[in-house]
Amino acid sequence: MGALFLGFVLSVFSLFLLLINSILFVSKVKKINNSTYSYVTTYLVILFIVELFCNTIGYLYPGQNFYLSHFYFNAQFILLSIVFYRLFKNQKLKKLVILNYVIVTLIILGMYIYNNQLFWQFNLFEIAMTSVLLIIYGLIHLSNTMGTNKKYFYLSVGMILYLLCSSLIFLFGNYELVFIEDPYIDIWIFNTLFYIVYQVFIFVEWNYINKNGLDD
């Protein structure tokens, strides 16, 4: 029971940090007036809403919130794909981001049409492909920003660290494998800890933008 309580407390704390970051980003939307910044802000707000529902349903009905992962991963995929599309200057990279999004999304939709029961489970393809592509985009962006300005550098670092951890945990694929009972280990705690780290990097990003500004 102690481990379950600890996991719940950490999850609520991570949600609180996400709320704070969402409020901070929203508070500067009009002042900064930058399209990429607006997409990052939208990403944070939507993820907060999804996480709020996920935590609430998970607390009231343990193990019954798996379907929310689809909204989480797909919202994250489309919004961060747009962010990296805008950050990339190379036209081939921009076209690749669009192509990847279209192909992966069509495959995912096809999977749900073919097997609608998949909606109530973790979709391993969805988790793996959306996460891997975003990690690749993040690494490309870090490479592009070396020796120049650090625009969305901290966001990218935090995202890469979190998605590496998160995708491995989600790829366990079901509730029974995530909760090991002998000895008891709540693997989700590691996911939450990395999510907290991610939120810290997002705050550092906001602080950097607040001090240095942005240009489109």
Side-chain angles (χ1 to χ4, degrees):
M1 189 68 182
L4 283 173
F5 181 73
L6 175 61
F8 176 72
V9 169
L10 287 174
S11 183
V12 171
F13 179 62
S14 69
L15 184 64
F16 174 73
L17 294 181
L18 176 56
L19 174 61
I20 295 300
N21 281 331
S22 299
I23 292 172
L24 288 174
F25 271 79
V26 168
S27 70
K28 296 293 182 178
V29 166
K30 290 185 178 179
K31 180 179 179 181
I32 293 177
N33 191 28
N34 176 275
S35 299
T36 307
Y37 179 90
S38 296
Y39 282 114
V40 173
T41 303
T42 303
Y43 161 68
L44 294 175
V45 172
I46 290 179
L47 257 60
F48 171 75
I49 295 171
V50 175
E51 286 281 0
L52 180 61
F53 277 101
C54 186
N55 277 269
T56 303
I57 295 173
Y59 177 76
L60 297 174
Y61 308 100
Q64 300 301 310
N65 58 353
F66 291 174
Y67 67 94
L68 290 171
S69 67
H70 310 309
F71 297 98
Y72 180 93
F73 281 104
N74 284 287
Q76 179 171 257
F77 185 46
I78 184 173
L79 289 167
L80 289 184
S81 290
I82 293 172
V83 169
F84 286 114
Y85 173 86
R86 297 186 61 82
L87 291 175
F88 293 155
K89 302 303 181 184
N90 186 294
Q91 291 301 314
K92 289 183 179 180
L93 278 177
K94 286 178 174 288
K95 291 178 181 178
L96 188 60
V97 171
I98 295 174
L99 182 63
N100 286 338
Y101 176 76
V102 171
I103 292 174
V104 171
T105 301
L106 287 176
I107 293 175
I108 291 172
L109 287 174
M111 293 175 74
Y112 291 129
I113 293 171
Y114 178 75
N115 179 13
N116 53 29
Q117 288 302 311
L118 190 60
F119 181 75
W120 305 104
Q121 308 166 20
F122 288 150
N123 184 335
L124 303 188
F125 176 84
E126 177 183 79
I127 295 168
M129 289 308 300
T130 59
S131 297
V132 167
L133 286 172
L134 289 177
I135 290 171
I136 292 172
Y137 298 158
L139 290 172
I140 292 173
H141 178 63
L142 292 184
S143 176
N144 290 341
T145 56
M146 289 297 179
T148 61
N149 67 74
K150 298 299 181 184
K151 184 166 61 175
Y152 299 110
F153 176 88
Y154 304 104
L155 174 69
S156 297
V157 171
M159 182 203 72
I160 291 168
L161 291 175
Y162 170 66
L163 288 183
L164 281 172
C165 170
S166 175
S167 57
L168 288 175
I169 291 174
F170 274 99
L171 286 174
F172 273 93
N174 60 64
Y175 187 84
E176 288 75 21
L177 284 177
V178 170
F179 290 93
I180 302 171
E181 294 185 354
D182 187 20
Y184 180 87
I185 303 172
D186 182 357
I187 298 178
W188 286 108
I189 288 180
F190 294 101
N191 182 66
T192 305
L193 289 173
F194 272 89
Y195 198 71
I196 291 171
V197 171
Y198 184 24
Q199 295 308 311
V200 172
F201 272 99
I202 290 174
F203 173 76
V204 173
E205 184 66 56
W206 178 84
N207 192 49
Y208 175 84
I209 293 172
N210 191 43
K211 289 181 178 179
N212 298 280
L214 285 172
D215 53 358
D216 243 340

